Amino acid sequence: LVINQRPLNATLARQYDGTTASAGSTLSSFDALQGGETLTMTGSGTAASANVANGIIMSSNGNLALADGTGAASNYSLNSTVINIAFRVLNSSGSKTYDGNTNAVASDVTLSNLAGGQTLSHSGTATLGSKNVGSSTISNLSGISLANGSNGGLAGNYTLTGGTHQLTVNQRPLNATLARQYDATTTSAGSTLSSFDALQGGEALTMSGSGTAASANVANGIAMSSNGNLALVDGTGLASNYSLNSTVINIAQRVLNSSGSKTYDGN
């Protein structure tokens, strides 16, 4: 009795990489291995398409070949090979200045893990796990839409599901204005805070410590010659979400009181 080789149909599987290369090392399954045997594959062939799809046939089997596993490759022949090309998983990262919300707009987000020199366009708004300063996970990418880019970048070959998605929220710099009456000193206490220029979402902060004004005389917008130990303090917002960029003081005219006496003189 003659025992003939059993023909096998092989399925390869990998993520989209922008090429038609189909390596035997990406073997996913055979259709007709016997008795629980296993085989592997060596070499490489060429798929008929580089784009995402299942069951893409080989335009050339190249040097794809069966290799021994727990079974002997000589008991089988390679009948056909197809490849399943899956979406390529993108990573995203970026940064924004604290703005009091959990939005991550597309312009703040950079995509990575693209194949070759391909690019994609993206638009929309994602959601962060936290609004506060620090590294935050982009927890909801459903608001971001991918669109075709350049160098062969097709949105249909990529997905944002999975991968690593982190965005850094940086402190928002604040300019503080203090205000008090003239007192003949250059002392500039945080307790005299008048306003900040860029608080977000209706938040409030206060200030502690004291700095030194460049002048003791009446004027607006006097710069600090030294910020001393002036510091931001939590209010309805968190001081850690902001940094103190600059401080000026408005020194107003000192209001005088008057009193005295005279002897009655009829006027």
Side-chain angles (χ1 to χ4, degrees), residues 16 90 111 114-123 145-158:
Y16 171 78
L90 295 176
L111 303 178
L114 289 146
Q118 293 183 356
T119 68
L120 293 179
S121 297
H122 58 293
S123 60
S145 299
L146 302 177
N148 295 345
S150 60
N151 298 324
L154 298 177
N157 288 324
Y158 294 91

Side-chain angles (χ1 to χ4, degrees), residues 157-188:
N157 288 324
Y158 294 91
T159 181
L160 286 166
T161 301
T164 301
H165 306 283
Q166 295 287 131
L167 187 137
T168 300
V169 180
N170 296 315
Q171 289 179 315
R172 178 170 289 275
L174 292 181
N175 298 310
T177 300
L178 311 180
R180 62 165 171 78
Q181 284 190 22
Y182 171 76
D183 65 3
T185 75
T186 55
T187 301
S188 305

Side-chain angles (χ1 to χ4, degrees), residues 2 9 49 61 68 73 77 112 117 121-122 126 154 156-157 172 184 189 195-196 212 238 241 258:
V2 175
N9 298 310
S49 170
N61 266 339
D68 291 348
S77 64
S112 60
S121 297
H122 58 293
L154 298 177
N157 288 324
R172 178 170 289 275
S195 65
F196 290 112
T212 303
L238 297 177
N241 287 327
S258 61

Side-chain angles (χ1 to χ4, degrees), residues 47-257:
S49 170
N51 296 321
V52 168
N54 287 330
I56 303 168
I57 62 173
M58 297 290 112
S59 59
S60 168
N61 266 339
N63 62 348
L64 284 170
L66 302 176
D68 291 348
T70 61
S74 58
N75 287 325
Y76 298 89
S77 64
L78 184 59
N79 181 53
S80 70
T81 309
V82 297
I83 188 169
N84 297 336
I85 299 179
F87 296 111
R88 189 175 185 86
V89 177
L90 295 176
N91 300 321
S92 64
S93 61
S95 65
K96 72 168 186 173
T97 301
Y98 175 75
D99 58 10
N101 61 59
T102 57
N103 292 337
V105 298
S107 58
D108 295 329
V109 176
T110 299
L111 303 178
S112 60
N113 198 37
L114 289 146
Q118 293 183 356
T119 68
L120 293 179
S121 297
H122 58 293
S123 60
T125 302
T127 303
L128 299 177
S130 170
K131 69 177 183 179
N132 295 319
V133 164
S135 180
S136 183
T137 300
I138 304 175
S139 59
N140 180 8
L141 285 156
S142 61
I144 297 290
S145 299
L146 302 177
N148 295 345
S150 60
N151 298 324
L154 298 177
N157 288 324
Y158 294 91
T159 181
L160 286 166
T161 301
T164 301
H165 306 283
Q166 295 287 131
L167 187 137
T168 300
V169 180
N170 296 315
Q171 289 179 315
R172 178 170 289 275
L174 292 181
N175 298 310
T177 300
L178 311 180
R180 62 165 171 78
Q181 284 190 22
Y182 171 76
D183 65 3
T185 75
T186 55
T187 301
S188 305
S191 58
T192 65
L193 176 69
S194 171
S195 65
F196 290 112
D197 68 334
L199 289 169
Q200 300 296 296
E203 294 177 348
L205 296 181
T206 59
M207 287 183 73
S208 63
S210 181
T212 303
S215 170
N217 296 320
V218 169
N220 287 331
I222 303 167
M224 296 289 111
S225 59
S226 170
N227 267 339
N229 61 348
L230 284 170
L232 302 175
V233 177
D234 291 350
T236 58
L238 297 177
S240 58
N241 287 327
Y242 298 90
S243 63
L244 185 58
N245 183 50
S246 71
T247 308
V248 298
I249 187 169
N250 297 336
I251 300 180
Q253 292 173 318
R254 190 173 187 85
V255 177
L256 297 178
N257 299 321

